[in-house]
Amino acid sequence: MSDYDFLYDHQEETTTRFVCFVGNALHRFDLAIMTTSRYFGKKLVIDLQSGRSAVIGPDDLAEEGYLEHVYKLNEEQAQELNEFLSQIIGSIHFTDI
C-alpha cells in the first residue's frame, strides 16, 4: 500500500433511504439519504441525478440559499426539497466525540 497520511479510516454500518419524488415545480428528486453515527447526527443527502451531496442538519435547512447553492436548484425547487427534508432531518446530536 502506498504511503498515505490517513486522517481517519473508519467503517460502520449505515442506513440508507432511497427516495424519488416529483414536486409541484415538476422537478424530479432522486435522493439517497444516509444515516450514520458520524457528522454530529446530520444526514448525508446525495442527489443521484447530479452526484451532488451534502451533510445536512436542521441548521443547514434554515440557512437561506443553502440548498439552491449545494444542489444547483432554483428557489421553488429548493423550497420543495426543504419541505421534504424538514420532515426527515432530525435534531443534531454529538456522537462523533
Side-chain angles (χ1 to χ4, degrees), residues 17-86:
R17 177 179 174 184
F18 295 94
V19 179
C20 178
F21 69 93
V22 177
N24 292 330
L26 300 179
H27 180 84
R28 177 178 169 160
F29 293 94
D30 288 297
L31 306 173
I33 304 160
M34 186 179 301
T35 302
T36 174
S37 65
R38 303 190 64 80
Y39 311 122
F40 305 105
K42 293 184 176 189
K43 296 187 185 307
L44 176 59
V45 180
I46 305 162
D47 178 344
L48 297 172
Q49 290 185 23
S50 69
R52 293 182 180 92
S53 63
V55 176
I56 298 179
D59 56 329
D60 303 303
L61 294 178
E63 186 176 330
E64 188 174 325
Y66 181 74
L67 294 177
E68 289 96 319
H69 173 73
V70 170
Y71 296 107
K72 307 296 185 221
L73 301 171
N74 66 37
E75 188 175 341
E76 185 179 14
Q77 294 165 342
Q79 179 60 37
E80 290 179 344
L81 181 57
N82 191 313
E83 288 172 7
F84 172 75
L85 291 176
S86 293

